[in-house]
Protein backbone atom coordinates (compact mmCIF):
# COMPACT_ATOMS: atom_id res chain seq x y z
CA UNK A 1 0.00 0.00 0.00
CA UNK A 2 2.98 2.25 0.58
CA UNK A 3 3.81 2.17 -3.13
CA UNK A 4 0.32 3.40 -4.02
CA UNK A 5 0.45 6.14 -1.38
CA UNK A 6 3.66 7.51 -2.87
CA UNK A 7 2.41 7.32 -6.46
CA UNK A 8 0.39 10.17 -7.95
CA UNK A 9 -1.03 8.06 -10.78
CA UNK A 10 -2.41 4.53 -11.27
CA UNK A 11 0.22 1.79 -11.45
CA UNK A 12 0.55 -1.41 -13.44
CA UNK A 13 1.65 -4.65 -11.80
CA UNK A 14 5.09 -4.31 -13.41
CA UNK A 15 5.54 -0.85 -11.87
CA UNK A 16 4.53 -2.18 -8.45
CA UNK A 17 7.12 -4.97 -8.76
CA UNK A 18 9.81 -2.50 -9.76
CA UNK A 19 8.95 -0.16 -6.87
CA UNK A 20 9.14 -3.04 -4.40
CA UNK A 21 12.37 -4.43 -5.91
CA UNK A 22 10.69 -7.70 -6.85
CA UNK A 23 11.65 -9.80 -9.82
CA UNK A 24 9.51 -8.91 -12.81
CA UNK A 25 8.38 -12.27 -14.15
CA UNK A 26 5.11 -13.71 -15.42
CA UNK A 27 4.91 -16.21 -12.57
CA UNK A 28 4.88 -13.68 -9.71
CA UNK A 29 1.06 -13.36 -9.89
CA UNK A 30 1.27 -9.72 -8.84
CA UNK A 31 -1.61 -8.74 -11.10
CA UNK A 32 -3.83 -11.42 -9.54
CA UNK A 33 -2.98 -10.18 -6.07
CA UNK A 34 -3.79 -6.61 -7.10
CA UNK A 35 -7.10 -7.82 -8.58
CA UNK A 36 -7.99 -9.45 -5.25
CA UNK A 37 -7.26 -6.20 -3.43
CA UNK A 38 -9.50 -4.41 -5.93
CA UNK A 39 -12.28 -6.95 -5.29
CA UNK A 40 -11.98 -6.20 -1.57
CA UNK A 41 -12.17 -2.42 -2.26
CA UNK A 42 -8.66 -1.77 -0.95
CA UNK A 43 -7.61 -0.73 -4.47
CA UNK A 44 -9.48 0.52 -7.52
CA UNK A 45 -8.85 -0.67 -11.05
CA UNK A 46 -9.33 2.54 -13.07
CA UNK A 47 -8.65 0.83 -16.40
CA UNK A 48 -7.78 -2.73 -17.21
CA UNK A 49 -4.43 -3.35 -15.53
CA UNK A 50 -4.14 0.07 -13.81
CA UNK A 51 -4.52 0.07 -10.03
CA UNK A 52 -4.69 2.89 -7.50
CA UNK A 53 -5.96 3.54 -3.99
CA UNK A 54 -9.53 4.81 -3.74
CA UNK A 55 -9.61 8.56 -3.19
CA UNK A 56 -12.38 10.22 -1.18
Amino acid sequence: MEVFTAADHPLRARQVCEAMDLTVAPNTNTRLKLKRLADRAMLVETEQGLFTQPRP
Side-chain angles (χ1 to χ4, degrees), residues 16-45:
V16 173
C17 287
E18 290 170 351
M20 295 175 61
D21 293 328
L22 296 174
T23 304
V24 179
N27 62 354
T28 59
N29 295 323
T30 304
R31 188 169 184 273
L32 292 175
K33 292 174 184 178
L34 294 173
K35 286 282 240 187
R36 279 190 219 124
L37 290 174
D39 288 342
R40 294 180 178 146
M42 295 178 77
L43 293 178
V44 175
E45 189 172 12

Side-chain angles (χ1 to χ4, degrees), residues 3-23:
V3 173
F4 290 102
T5 304
D8 59 346
H9 54 81
L11 300 173
R12 296 199 178 276
R14 178 182 190 89
Q15 294 169 316
V16 173
C17 287
E18 290 170 351
M20 295 175 61
D21 293 328
L22 296 174
T23 304

